[in-house]
């Protein structure tokens, strides 16, 4: 029984599939660890090997090599068992948690510097195996989450809670849903262990605060457990939203702020934070632990700091820093709700555009898109670009959002508003004498737009007047450009000698130009999103940038987001995590499979945002618009069988198709109609909508006839085996991949 | 007590004269019309005067009844009254302010009616006296400004605007109204903007404010620097511009709604007329009745905004959020009891949720769509002068829009599709188009539709040459944009082509009649050049290769018209006559069209001969066309894609003078109608302590 303490520990960090009997497993384990060296170069392979052998021997010695394969309960410590005392003597109880341990008998958890130091002195022989695992470089966030979930020991939980501070923020962020779920749904001890970390992070990052608040709300919403627990998640959510966790300020950072005291900004802790996380990666184990152990103290320091600078705090930070963002999200959701009441796509689209144009009046603001990977402020929603997506009764919609990237969300000023059409001066003023208005007045009227005069791209009034001078900037092949140019330039001297042109040339140019434009989709009032999604992303960015008053700014970026209202995205979030995990496993194993996990932002139990897959349209749209089979469509888009473009598109297709077949098989993804499968410009397919996975299904049927979707059309598109006409090798590959991925991915996902 | 006694005394006095019982205020007016200073005998005379309910009719009538010399005698008293009015505007009690405002209205109007022939300076002298005029007007404008900007009673603000409108429209020709010079110096522009930018005050006074602004902008527009023009042109506050757009949109859509209601009323008559087969005359009659009084003032405001302020162009595409909500009448009716001024949310970076009224039936619209619908109604009938003016102004506004880069960008935006129900004149040979089946298209299609509609419906004896020229110019400007930006609009160009060819046909068949009045060659040249644009630059903006073929087909099909035109212009250009130069220009412009006709016609004939077909189908002709492009050479013509920019100053000044004159008269008449009724005001202020 007790041996479970040790058993799974060395297995975890290895990405080795089968947790077989430990005795037989030694060899493969070791080899795997050696393999992992590339990633964790700190560990000397030989040392690791030795350590593992020791572990295995110990296990054998104690329990006669009883194989335990259950991973589910690794920390089942039984009081009074021999193991207990064994461990007790191996490791001196850490002073800080002595009281706990007296009651519980848990000795493993120890996070104190003292304990660590002592352990070092005593060396490995006397160490707790679990602690050794925790201290080892292989202990990663996924293990931490799993132990946090499975451990019943408050000491272990507290240790892991402290240990969270050492992980890189991004790593922990990935498991935020699990963390918060545990915080809400598990007992007091787990909650207490997690809370300091969350509070700490909330203080650092506004984005984290928002995510926490949203997830806490979403996961608490449909709880059927006691109200006491219910209130724990809600309480934390309230705490976050009440803005008591606004960033604490450091005194030394204040001077830099003084130039802009009136903007209601909060000085950043970014530098501090970054150095800390960087340190975590490289710092040696013992000091790491020291740090973790003293973390509550760090917290205290922070609090002291914040209280000492409280007066400044008040003057610097806006009243409720999450309020603008929440309003922004709320208004996006409200738009979605209102759209759902309209009967036709056309009305929805028109309404969406007009609603967004109103929203534009409130921008720029201190709001951001949580799905983006960088700090930014939203400055404009190009409302005419927004489209309503296909859905029967709900109204998900896709919006593009112009943002300005910034160093730090909190400290950077919200960009000034630039009016919709940036104009240097107005028509009549140019014709008017200067009197009647003073210089100050004039300057005043433009004061809202800094750098106006530097903006070379601003439209001048005479744009159209100088028609023949300007060459059209829109895509033209060079030949046309030349001909157009010659036509134009000759025009001006035409009076001297007549110029003749061939009617055939005009007609030819017309048909050539139309042939050269990429196969754009036709506008369809019933499917307004098809055209918008088909347009290549780069081209769309360029086009929107040209039309945007903010487009000239160097830090201008375009983001897009799908706003879903009335859909529960929590499961999508889980699917995203699984896909991400699979992706990293495949990458690690160098399996050439391709999937595209897309980011999910859960806003509440029935709303959220999705990061759209760019350059992708659904297969349904492809077939409807092109009226071709997939193979023919590929030929049309990428060129004939032998071209490089076609072959790489075909390869992409196969790799992604295989990847998603696996995903569908593993997750039992249902509802795989063509509208839920996208095809991107490079040939990849991307499955979307993981609303029905595992046991849930659209029509109360727990199963679907096929394990995954692989239609003959898909098969037709795959390359054939040379000689043989059957594309058989793919199935083999699929099975191999399933083998590699299948067993490994499951335990990685919790909650 | 003292008052009662005084009143008694006055009554006795009047009874001694054996005259009918007079109001006290009338008696006080009478005192003013004496040569003596009324405050001499009763030192509190002025204070009391503004506590009395104003008798506008009497005061105005009295002023009118005096001739110039008599008026000069009591000049001091009138000056005194005027000054005290202005003083009273600063008073705390609103009743005094109201009375003072109304007295001012009556004074200004009364004096002007008397002095129709005399110059503005006399009037200033009469009202204020030369020496004090500047200070007087400064005080007046400042008081009005602060009243308009203060968070006071809405009715009071409304009255202020009425006074200003009264002041502005008191002469027929606004530029002769010398008092306005002081309004130029002491600008109330900011107050007007403030009214427009705050939704509650905009709802109450938006209409008056916009009309006032439009009129002020037209004061001595061409002679001097009008600060209102300068200021209007640089406004960039979006809330204000949107507010202005909303007011205009409301007024226009109100008109559209009224028209629609009337049309529906007449629908029964329509059908009976149709079943009776009486013919078009009857329909035209029935149609005549539908006409609703057009609103040129608001159209002028739209024009000034579009023409002067480029920022306003964005407002055109802005959707109206309040359209369904607002039920307040747009007509300049006296303000209803005021609602307390809502506090507007402070501008911060906090986003307040924007709510649009949730009404599935109301199609989202914008100012441009409303304007296009309005234009389609107004341009249906250009017979009477008002409508001709309105139609012309609509076309001028469209010209400005078609020249603007930003406006063109959203007109041609493929993502902004709208269904615009243009009104189409019922005509014998065509059915009323089913509105429901209209496709959703970029807005420029609606503009083109409107132009095509105009072209085909106005070929009449009273040929509106000017409007036709503007209409063709609008189309040309749109094409220039499309050519420049390579916008391939999916539009049924064929409709435009055949409309243009029909217009040419009409010009030629009515040559003699039309030539007596107009230079038809300018129009013919423009039409031919539109075709040249399609022929030489079609590759840059036509949607498909087959549309280029269709263009040739259309030209070949209608070659008779072009042939006739050619022989006509040739005839006139060889004769030494009035039209020699104009006609020869058309001859040159026709060169490509003639080349096409001469090139393809023999080919088609031989094709018919070879295949033994008497009548070729469209498909067969197109086949011939496609096969024979390569042997056709065209001549490149100069400056097809260039146009003269719209300029008001030189060409349109007379039109706008006339227009503003008629608007002034109209506004003045409307002001007189609802004469600043005091009932509401009294009710409102009686409750105020």
């Amino acid at each position: 029984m007790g041996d479970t303490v040790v058993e799974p520990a060395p297995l975890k960090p290895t990405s080795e599939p089968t947790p077989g009997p430990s005795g037989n497993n030694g060899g493969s384990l070791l080899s795997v660890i050696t393999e992992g060296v590339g990633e964790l170069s700190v560990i000397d392979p030989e040392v690791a090997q030795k350590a593992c052998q020791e572990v295995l021997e110990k296990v054998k010695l104690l329990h006669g090599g009883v194989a335990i394969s259950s991973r589910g309960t690794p920390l089942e410590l039984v009081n009074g068992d021999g193991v207990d005392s064994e461990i007790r003597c191996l490791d001196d109880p850490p002073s800080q948690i002595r009281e706990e341990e007296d009651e519980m008998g848990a000795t493993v958890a120890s996070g104190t510097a003292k304990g660590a130091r002592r352990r070092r002195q005593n060396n490995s022989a006397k160490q707790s195996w679990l602690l050794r695992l925790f201290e080892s470089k292989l202990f990663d966030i996924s293990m931490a989450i799993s132990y946090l979930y499975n451990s019943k020991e408050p000491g272990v939980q507290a240790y892991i809670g402290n240990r969270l501070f050492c992980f890189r923020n991004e790593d922990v962020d990935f498991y935020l849903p699990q963390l918060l779920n545990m915080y809400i749904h598990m007992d007091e001890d787990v909650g207490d262990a997690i809370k300091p970390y969350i509070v700490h992070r909330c203080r650092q990052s506004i984005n984290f605060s928002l995510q926490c608040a949203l997830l806490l709300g979403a996961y608490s919403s449909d709880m059927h457990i006691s109200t006491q627990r219910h209130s724990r998640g809600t309480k934390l959510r309230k705490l976050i939203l009440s803005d008591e966790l606004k960033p604490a300020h450091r005194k030394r950072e204040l001077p830099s702020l003084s130039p802009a005291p009136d903007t209601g900004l909060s000085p950043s802790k970014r530098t501090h934070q970054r150095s800390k996380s960087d340190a975590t990666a490289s710092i040696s184990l013992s000091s790491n632990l020291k740090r973790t152990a003293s973390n509550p103290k760090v917290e205290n320091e922070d609090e002291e700091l914040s209280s000492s600078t409280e007066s400044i705090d008040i003057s610097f930070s806006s009243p409720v820093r999450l309020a603008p963002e929440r309003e922004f999200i709320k208004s996006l959701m409200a738009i979605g709700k209102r759209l759902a009441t309209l009967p036709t796509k056309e009305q929805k689209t028109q309404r969406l555009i007009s609603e967004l144009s109103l929203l534009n009046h409130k921008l720029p603001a201190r709001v951001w898109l949580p799905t983006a990977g960088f700090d930014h402020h939203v400055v404009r929603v190009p409302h005419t670009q927004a489209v309503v997506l296909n859905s029967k009764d709900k109204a998900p919609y896709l919006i593009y959002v112009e943002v300005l990237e910034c160093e730090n969300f909190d400290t950077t000023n919200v960009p000034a508003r630039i009016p919709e059409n940036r104009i240097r001066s107005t028509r009549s003023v140019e014709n008017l004498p200067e009197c009647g208005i003073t210089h100050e007045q004039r300057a005043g009227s433009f004061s809202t737009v800094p750098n106006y005069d530097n903006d070379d791209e601003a439209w001048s009034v005479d744009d159209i007047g100088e028609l023949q001078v300007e060459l059209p900037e829109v895509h033209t092949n060079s030949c046309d450009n030349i001909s157009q140019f010659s036509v134009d330039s000759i025009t001006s001297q035409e009076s001297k000698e007549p110029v003749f042109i061939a009617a055939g040339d005009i007609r030819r140019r017309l048909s050539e130009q139309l042939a050269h434009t990429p196969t754009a989709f036709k506008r369809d009032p019933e499917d307004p999103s098809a055209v918008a999604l088909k347009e290549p992303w780069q081209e769309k960015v360029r086009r929107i940038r040209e039309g945007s008053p903010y487009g000239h700014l160097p830090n201008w970026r375009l983001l897009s987001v799908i706003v879903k209202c009335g859909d529960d995205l929590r499961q999508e979030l889980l699917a995203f995590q699984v896909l991400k995990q699979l992706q990293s496993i495949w990458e690690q194993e160098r399996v050439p499979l391709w999937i595209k996990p897309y980011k999910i932002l859960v806003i509440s139990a029935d709303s959220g945002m999705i990061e759209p897959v760019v350059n992708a349209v659904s297969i349904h749209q492809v077939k409807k618009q092109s009226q071709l089979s997939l193979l023919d469509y590929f030929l049309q888009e990428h060129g004939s069988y032998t071209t490089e473009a076609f072959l790489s598109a075909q390869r992409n297709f196969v790799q992604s198709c295989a990847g998603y077949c696996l995903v569908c098989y593993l997750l039992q993804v249902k509802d795989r109609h063509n509208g839920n499968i996208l095809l991107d410009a490079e040939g990849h397919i991307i499955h979307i909508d993981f609303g029905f996975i595992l046991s849930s299904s659209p029509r109360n049927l727990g199963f679907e006839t096929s394990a995954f979707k692989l239609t003959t059309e898909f098969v037709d598109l795959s390359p054939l085996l040379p000689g043989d006409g059957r594309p058989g090798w793919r199935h083999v590959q699929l099975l191999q991949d399933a083998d590699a991925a299948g067993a490994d991915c499951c335990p990685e996902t919790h909650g | 007590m003292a008052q009662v006694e005084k009143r008694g005394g006055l009554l006795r006095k009047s009874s001694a004269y054996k005259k009918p019982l007079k109001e006290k205020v009338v008696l006080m007016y009478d005192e003013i019309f004496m040569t003596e200073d009324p405050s001499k005998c009763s030192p509190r005379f002025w204070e009391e005067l503004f506590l009395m309910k104003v008798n506008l009719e009497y005061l105005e009538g009295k002023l009118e009844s005096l001739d110039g010399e008599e008026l000069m005698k009591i000049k001091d008293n009138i000056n005194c009254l005027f000054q005290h009015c202005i003083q009273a505007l600063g008073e705390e009690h609103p009743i005094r302010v109201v009375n003072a405002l109304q007295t001012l209205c009556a004074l200004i109007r009364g004096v002007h009616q008397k002095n129709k022939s005399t110059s503005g300076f006399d009037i200033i002298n009469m009202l204020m006296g030369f020496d004090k005029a500047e200070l007087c007007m400064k005080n007046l404008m400042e008081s009005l400004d602060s009243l308009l900007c203060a968070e006071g009673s809405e009715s009071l603000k409304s009255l202020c605007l009425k006074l200003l409108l009264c002041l502005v429209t008191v002469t027929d020709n606004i530029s002769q109204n010398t008092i306005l010079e002081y309004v130029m110096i002491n600008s109330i522009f900011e107050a007007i903007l403030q009214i427009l930018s705050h939704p509650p005050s905009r709802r109450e006074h938006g209409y008056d404010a916009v009309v006032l602004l439009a009129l002020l902008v037209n004061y001595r527009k061409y002679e001097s620097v009008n600060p209102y023009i300068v200021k209007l042109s640089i406004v960039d506050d979006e809330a204000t511009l949107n507010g202005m757009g909303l007011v205009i949109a409301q007024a226009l859509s109100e008109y559209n709604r009224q028209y629609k209601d009337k049309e529906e009323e007449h629908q029964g008559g329509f059908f009976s007329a149709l079943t009776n087969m009486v013919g078009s005359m009857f329909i035209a009659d029935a149609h005549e009745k539908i006409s609703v009084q057009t609103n040129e003032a608001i159209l002028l405001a739209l024009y000034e905004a579009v023409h002067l302020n480029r920022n306003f162009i964005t407002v055109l595409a802005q959707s109206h959020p309040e359209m369904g909500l607002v039920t307040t009448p747009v007509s300049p009716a006296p303000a209803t009891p005021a609602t307390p001024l809502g506090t507007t949310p402070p501008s911060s970076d906090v986003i307040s949720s924007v709510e649009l009224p949730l009404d599935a039936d109301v199609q989202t619209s914008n100012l441009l769509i409303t304007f296009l619908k309005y234009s389609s109604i107004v341009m249906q009938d250009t017979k009477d002068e008002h409508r001709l003016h309105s139609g012309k102004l609509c076309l001028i506004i469209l010209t400005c829009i078609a020249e603007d880069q930003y406006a063109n960008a959203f007109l041609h935006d493929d993502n902004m599709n709208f269904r615009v129900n243009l009104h189409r004149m019922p005509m014998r040979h065509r059915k009323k188009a089913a509105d429901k089946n209209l496709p959703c298209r970029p807005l420029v299609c609606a503009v083109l539709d409107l132009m095509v509609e105009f072209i085909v419906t106005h070929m009449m004896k009273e040929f509106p040459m000017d409007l036709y020229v503007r209409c063709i110019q609008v189309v040309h400007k749109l094409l220039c944009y499309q050519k420049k930006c390579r916008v391939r609009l999916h539009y049924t160009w064929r409709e435009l082509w055949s409309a243009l060819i029909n217009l040419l046909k009409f010009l030629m068949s009515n040559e003699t009649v039309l030539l007596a009045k107009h230079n038809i060659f300018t129009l013919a040249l423009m039409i031919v050049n539109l075709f040249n644009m399609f022929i030489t630059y079609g590759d840059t903006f036509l949607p498909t290769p087959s549309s280029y073929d269709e263009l040739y087909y259309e030209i070949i099909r209608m070659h008779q018209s072009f042939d006739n035109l050619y022989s006509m212009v040739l005839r006139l250009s060889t004769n030494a006559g009035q039209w020699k130069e104009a006609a020869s220009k058309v001859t040159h412009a026709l060169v490509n069209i003639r080349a096409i006709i001469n090139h393809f016609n023999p080919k088609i004939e031989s094709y018919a001969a070879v295949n033994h077909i008497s009548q070729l189908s469209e498909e067969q002709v197109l086949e011939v066309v496609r096969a024979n492009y390569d042997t056709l050479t065209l001549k490149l013509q100069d400056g097809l894609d260039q146009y003269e920019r719209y300029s008001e100053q030189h060409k349109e000044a007379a039109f706008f003078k006339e227009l503003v004159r008629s608007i002034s008269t109209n506004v003045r008449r409307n002001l007189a109608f609802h004469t600043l009724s005091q009932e509401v005001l009294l009710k409102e202020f009686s409750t105020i302590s």
Side-chain angles (χ1 to χ4, degrees), chain B residues 238-253:
Chain B
E238 286 180 30
T240 312
L241 292 173
N242 268 331
M244 198 165 164
L246 273 173
V247 171
I248 295 170
Q250 263 163 31
L252 294 183
S253 64

Side-chain angles (χ1 to χ4, degrees), chain A residues 59-80:
Chain A
V59 172
K60 272 187 207 160
L61 201 135
L62 283 171
H63 297 280
V66 181
I68 289 127
S69 56
S70 89
R71 282 157 172 265
T73 56
L75 273 176
E76 212 81 329
L77 287 181
V78 183
N79 274 346

Side-chain angles (χ1 to χ4, degrees), chain A residues 48-321:
Chain A
Q49 199 165 8
K50 207 175 151 197
C52 284
Q53 265 162 359
E54 274 170 14
V55 172
L56 292 168
E57 268 160 28
K58 183 129 270 167
V59 172
K60 272 187 207 160
L61 201 135
L62 283 171
H63 297 280
V66 181
I68 289 127
S69 56
S70 89
R71 282 157 172 265
T73 56
L75 273 176
E76 212 81 329
L77 287 181
V78 183
N79 274 346
D81 201 314
V83 194
D84 195 10
S85 55
E86 168 80 21
I87 293 174
R88 201 183 279 270
C89 75
L90 281 175
D91 187 17
D92 281 352
S95 56
Q96 283 207 342
I97 52 169
R98 197 165 280 157
E99 314 90 73
E100 288 175 13
E101 144 197 274
D102 284 345
E103 278 180 29
M104 308 288 191
T107 53
V108 259
S110 61
T112 66
K114 191 178 155 200
R117 220 176 299 120
R118 195 173 292 177
R119 255 172 280 125
R120 284 208 136 219
Q121 287 157 7
N122 296 350
N123 214 349
S124 59
K126 290 184 95 185
Q127 243 178 7
S128 144
W129 299 114
L130 187 57
L131 188 61
R132 272 198 59 196
L133 167 69
F134 286 169
E135 286 177 353
S136 85
K137 276 291 158 193
L138 295 172
F139 184 66
D140 64 6
I141 178 68
S142 94
M143 275 187 263
I145 298 290
S146 138
Y147 276 97
L148 193 58
Y149 176 66
N150 288 314
S151 167
K152 297 282 181 285
E153 298 301 327
V156 173
Q157 291 163 349
Y159 172 83
I160 295 176
N162 272 342
R163 190 57 204 274
L164 287 175
F165 286 89
C166 307
F167 293 114
R168 294 198 310 143
N169 286 346
E170 304 83 82
D171 295 342
V172 184
D173 286 350
F174 183 76
Y175 287 101
L176 189 61
Q178 280 70 32
L179 266 183
L180 293 178
N181 248 324
M182 282 191 262
Y183 181 80
I184 297 166
H185 296 287
M186 287 175 68
D187 53 28
E188 204 78 30
D189 296 322
V190 178
D192 289 344
I194 299 169
K195 193 176 175 185
Y197 179 79
I198 292 183
V199 168
H200 173 72
R201 288 289 308 282
C202 282
R203 276 187 205 284
Q204 286 182 336
S205 157
I206 188 169
N207 191 21
F208 188 87
S209 307
L210 177 78
Q211 304 245 15
C212 279
L214 295 176
L215 283 173
L216 283 170
Y219 288 128
S220 307
S221 62
D222 50 3
M223 272 193 334
H224 300 299
I225 44 174
S226 67
T227 48
Q228 184 257 325
R229 282 180 176 176
H230 186 103
S231 65
R232 183 148 50 110
T234 322
K235 248 189 251 165
L236 181 59
R237 184 164 176 271
K238 274 191 187 133
L239 178 73
I240 295 169
L241 294 182
S242 74
D243 215 33
E244 271 164 46
L245 303 180
K246 59 192 162 197
H249 306 301
R250 306 217 122 197
K251 265 180 184 161
R252 59 182 161 81
E253 283 174 332
L254 290 176
S256 66
L257 270 168
S258 46
D262 54 335
T263 43
L265 302 170
S266 336
S268 102
K269 281 195 65 184
R270 172 83 173 231
T271 45
H272 168 59
Q273 175 194 344
R274 180 178 284 164
S275 63
K276 188 175 172 182
S277 60
D278 287 348
T280 344
S282 60
I283 229 159
S284 78
L285 202 132
S286 59
S287 64
N288 219 350
L289 268 178
K290 227 183 275 176
R291 179 137 211 169
T292 337
S294 64
N295 241 320
K297 240 186 163 183
V298 169
E299 202 75 348
N300 286 338
E301 276 167 28
D302 274 351
E303 267 161 26
E304 276 164 31
L305 269 173
S306 66
S307 65
S308 66
T309 57
E310 206 172 280
S311 55
I312 304 152
D313 238 358
I314 291 161
S315 61
F316 274 124
S317 46
S318 43
V320 187
R321 60 188 188 132

Side-chain angles (χ1 to χ4, degrees), chain A residues 490-498, chain B residues 638:
Chain A
I490 294 163
T491 319
S492 44
Q493 338 160 338
E494 195 253 354
S495 52
K496 286 153 213 158
E497 53 182 83
Chain B
D638 199 9

